[in-house]
Amino acid sequence: MGTAIESLEVDLEHDIDEQYQYQPGEILRGYISVTTSRQTFITKIYISITGQGAVAWEDPQFGSFNANEEYINAKHSVEDRGMNDPLLLVKGEHKFPFEYQLPDNLPSSFIGKFGSVTYVLKVIVNGEKSETNITSEPFLVIRNAEIPEKSRKSESRSMEQRFWGLCSTGKIKFDITIDKVGVCPGEDIYIQAEVANTSPLYITAVQASIVMNTLYHARKKLIPFRQVVNKRRDEQEMTQGDGRKWHNVRLTVPPYIPESNLDYCDIIEISYSFQFRVEISGGKELRAEIPLLIGSKPKGLEIPTTHNPLLNKNWGSPGDDIINNGNNQHEVDYSHEANEWHRGIVPELRPFDTTMKNPLFDNTGKADLPEEIIESSRL
């Protein structure tokens, strides 16, 4: 007859820009939706929420490096009837509510070149004749990091260098100012710039970029990665005697990047910089960088001022061995304590050949923007 469960879905309470986005300390509410094609019986419905950090890379000389962290590992039995008293579901849609208050000390979601911080909500339903249905829903955690008022000020850089060619000499110089060094995701940086070329060489391009600097930790080793996450580029050629001015040129901080430092994650560090580069014929360049401080201030999220100590009382703690070793690898034994939350060993969250997608990054670690990754040697 085939499976009686036509669909199994998780619906969370709010959805920002088509992404489930929460702050640490916020209450994650929603419901499990089970749609049946005919009358059927359910023995168990249980849910898990996990948050994990992972780092991995290969070194041709020293081999593999990897590190992992766990931020959430909580489970709850929504229904636990057993084979002797199963829950009857008639044909149609059935909803089962749940809620969980996220811990305060969660790092922001991130997927990068050599590591990630991801969060997943998973539901398992055991039905008649040992039928098992599984679904999972990733969600984003974005920390509400404060930006100091003193960082909301402008900052400037100047560079100049003398160049020789065709028996003559001259300078290439630039002056740049950005309106602030402390910014929020989705906010604009406004650029004032002036470039002058009195040298015999020609300027091939001028580029302003926001650079993400990531440092991954594993086994007391480090690997850095630098990546342009947004840029403005002017490829108009400037020969000797030419100049160019930028007035209030806008460069937007991507909306889904994590805050500076990636607090509460010990295996990934993140910093940002504004980079202004003048590209010169013959592979030469002039470059200046200004450190940026990025803090997240999502709008429309209601954060509890204090934890409700009773809200998570039925969520368990690590150490409970709740996964049976029998033929059904997803079977969970809740007989010792009905309808309680548990933390412990988690069934595989998703197939090995799939990855969770951050809105900014694809599964290669490349920015999902019209900008390419620029290798560290060029930055």
Side-chain angles (χ1 to χ4, degrees), residues 254-313:
Y256 286 105
I257 57 178
E259 78 283 359
S260 297
N261 301 323
L262 199 62
D263 288 338
Y264 297 103
C265 178
D266 294 329
I267 56 178
I268 302 173
E269 297 178 46
I270 295 176
S271 63
Y272 297 92
S273 57
F274 170 84
Q275 183 189 92
F276 191 83
R277 186 171 71 228
V278 175
E279 299 175 14
I280 305 165
S281 58
K284 300 177 175 63
E285 67 171 31
L286 280 182
R287 179 178 62 182
E289 293 197 10
I290 299 173
L292 296 177
L293 179 64
I294 293 182
S296 301
K297 291 185 177 180
K299 297 181 180 179
L301 300 182
E302 182 177 342
I303 306 303
T305 55
T306 59
H307 278 297
N308 178 354
L310 300 179
L311 182 60
N312 291 353
K313 67 174 183 174

Side-chain angles (χ1 to χ4, degrees), residues 207 233 275 277 279 285 287 372 374-379:
Q207 179 173 298
R233 186 170 175 84
Q275 183 189 92
R277 186 171 71 228
E279 299 175 14
E285 67 171 31
R287 179 178 62 182
E372 76 282 6
I374 297 182
E375 299 299 333
S376 301
S377 60
R378 187 177 176 185
L379 291 174

Side-chain angles (χ1 to χ4, degrees), residues 172-174 193-197 203 206 238 242-244 276 278:
I172 294 177
K173 63 179 182 179
F174 66 77
E194 184 171 357
V195 181
N197 182 15
I203 295 172
V206 174
M238 285 180 273
D242 289 339
R244 193 155 184 82
F276 191 83
V278 175

Side-chain angles (χ1 to χ4, degrees), residues 12 16-17 156 190 245 247 341:
L12 296 176
I16 297 178
D17 297 333
S156 302
Y190 289 90
K245 290 184 178 181
H247 179 64
W341 286 99

